[in-house]
Amino acid sequence: MIKYAQEGIAVGRSFAILKNYHIDGNKEMIAFGMMNIVGSFTSCYLVAGPFSRTAVNYNAGCKTPASNIIMAVAVMLTLLFLTPLFYYTPLVVLAAMLVSAMIGLIDYEAAIHLWKIDKFDFLVCISSYIGVVFGSIEIGLVIAVGICVLRVLLFVARPKTFAQGNIPNSGLYRNVEQYPNANHIPGILILEIAGPIYFANAGYLRERITRWIIDEEDRIKATGNSNINLQNIIIDMTAVGNIDTSGISMLEELLKILSRRGLQLVLVNPGSEVMKKFNKAKFLDEIGHTWIYLTVEEAVGACNSILDTCKSNHTKDESEGGSNV
């Protein structure tokens, strides 16, 4: 019964997309269960919504549940009085009728649209189609769900990281790849993590951030300006919805790595859940409350202020040393 219910829900969702309406899977399961419970008292055959019968109804122009009543009466009359007439009807003729009804449901334009927008969605579509045609609806659903779950796991295990720059004449900081006119801030590397930090991606993020730091140092050296050195690493955590203990351990390791390199870690806009776990893990005491800011603009301003103070003190010391000589 569960198999037929799953098939009916899958068929219902397919036609809901075609007709632009919404169905509730939970209510569908309850409806299938209640119909089969009531039908069991009269030795009724299992109630289901097979794809072939639904396709025939759809192509016949049926729009209301009243079509099921008419169909039930027609089937009853056929079984009682017209069965001998169908005795010599080849199965291939019945199959041809079903195939002709279902061909109209194949929307190749939607598949082309998926190919243009997202190749992975096209792969899911074609894989599920092949599974249904050469197997069954259950096989097609399993293939589609399996590929979608794999995609989600890949996104979680490999979250995107972006380097940010300042949009000219504004206080906005955006992805430098998306906005080529965004300016790098001298001595500061601004990174954005676009996803939660879990045990599955903690190691990847640590290596990716380290690679960003190395690339930024190489970029600064390539400019030939010896007066600019990388001093601060700002991580925008606006898109980090959650973090686990492995993620916090990764940040602690990153903080130690940056300290050994003479770099300061700065965090921007951690979410409420992230801050709660930071407090419980005592991570805020390690990084310092003064190195957490609400916006990237505030963090950049604070870092620049500290850099300017250090430069002025260094210049003052050099001048005092020169005067003493």
Side-chain angles (χ1 to χ4, degrees):
M1 185 179 73
I2 295 177
K3 172 184 176 181
Y4 291 118
Q6 291 175 343
E7 180 181 356
I9 294 173
V11 172
R13 286 177 175 170
S14 300
F15 283 90
I17 294 174
L18 291 175
K19 302 297 290 183
N20 194 25
Y21 62 86
H22 175 72
I23 64 171
D24 189 339
N26 293 328
K27 292 181 179 179
E28 293 292 320
M29 289 291 288
I30 294 174
F32 276 113
M34 292 301 298
M35 287 188 296
N36 284 292
I37 290 174
V38 173
S40 65
F41 292 101
T42 58
S43 300
C44 178
Y45 188 74
L46 287 177
V47 178
F51 197 85
S52 57
R53 192 172 67 195
T54 306
V56 171
N57 277 3
Y58 177 77
N59 284 274
C62 300
K63 296 183 179 180
T64 65
S67 62
N68 294 325
I69 301 175
I70 298 174
M71 181 179 61
V73 173
V75 170
M76 182 182 66
L77 294 176
T78 301
L79 292 176
L80 292 176
F81 306 106
L82 302 179
T83 304
L85 299 178
F86 292 96
Y87 181 78
Y88 296 101
T89 303
L91 293 178
V92 67
V93 175
L94 297 176
M97 294 171 58
L98 297 177
V99 170
S100 63
M102 296 176 64
I103 287 179
L105 300 177
I106 300 176
D107 191 354
Y108 64 91
E109 293 181 353
I112 296 174
H113 183 67
L114 289 176
W115 172 262
K116 292 180 180 179
I117 296 178
D118 193 327
K119 303 297 189 296
F120 202 98
D121 285 342
F122 176 80
L123 175 63
V124 174
C125 174
I126 295 300
S127 300
S128 60
Y129 171 77
I130 293 174
V132 171
V133 172
F134 295 99
S136 64
I137 291 181
E138 289 79 11
I139 295 177
L141 286 174
V142 169
I143 293 175
V145 172
I147 296 177
C148 291
V149 170
L150 178 62
R151 184 183 192 180
V152 172
L153 292 177
L154 289 176
F155 283 161
V156 172
R158 294 292 186 270
K160 297 291 184 179
T161 55
F162 308 101
Q164 293 186 353
N166 177 242
I167 302 297
N169 302 320
S170 72
L172 302 177
Y173 292 82
R174 295 294 184 268
N175 182 7
V176 295
E177 294 182 359
Q178 184 179 1
Y179 298 89
N181 63 329
N183 299 320
H184 292 272
I185 308 301
I188 301 175
L189 174 61
I190 307 171
L191 299 176
E192 176 186 1
I193 300 177
I197 304 177
Y198 294 124
F199 70 94
N201 58 28
Y204 168 79
L205 287 175
R206 180 179 61 252
E207 296 174 2
R208 191 73 185 92
I209 294 173
T210 304
R211 174 52 57 185
W212 275 111
I213 295 173
I214 295 174
D215 292 343
E216 181 66 14
E217 290 176 341
D218 293 340
R219 189 189 66 82
I220 294 174
K221 291 179 181 178
T223 60
N225 191 345
S226 59
N227 295 325
I228 298 177
N229 293 316
L230 186 60
Q231 298 290 332
N232 298 280
I233 309 299
I234 298 177
I235 298 181
D236 186 358
M237 303 185 69
T238 303
V240 180
N242 207 336
I243 190 172
D244 64 359
T245 53
S246 298
I248 296 176
S249 298
M250 182 275 292
L251 291 178
E252 292 174 346
E253 294 177 10
L254 182 64
L255 183 62
K256 295 178 182 178
I257 293 173
L258 296 181
S259 298
R260 288 195 293 266
R261 299 172 69 100
L263 303 175
Q264 177 61 51
L265 177 64
V266 183
L267 302 182
V268 172
N269 195 26
S272 59
E273 292 295 326
V274 176
M275 287 297 294
K276 289 179 183 178
K277 293 185 179 180
F278 279 171
N279 284 321
K280 293 179 180 178
K282 306 298 181 182
F283 178 72
L284 295 179
D285 297 334
E286 296 183 27
I287 189 175
H289 293 264
T290 56
W291 294 110
I292 297 180
Y293 296 90
L294 182 61
T295 64
V296 176
E297 184 180 9
E298 293 179 359
V300 171
C303 292
N304 284 330
S305 177
I306 294 174
L307 289 175
D308 293 339
T309 302
C310 293
K311 288 180 180 179
S312 62
N313 292 336
H314 181 68
T315 304
K316 182 179 180 181
D317 293 340
E318 289 183 348
S319 61
E320 291 177 354
S323 61
N324 291 333
V325 174

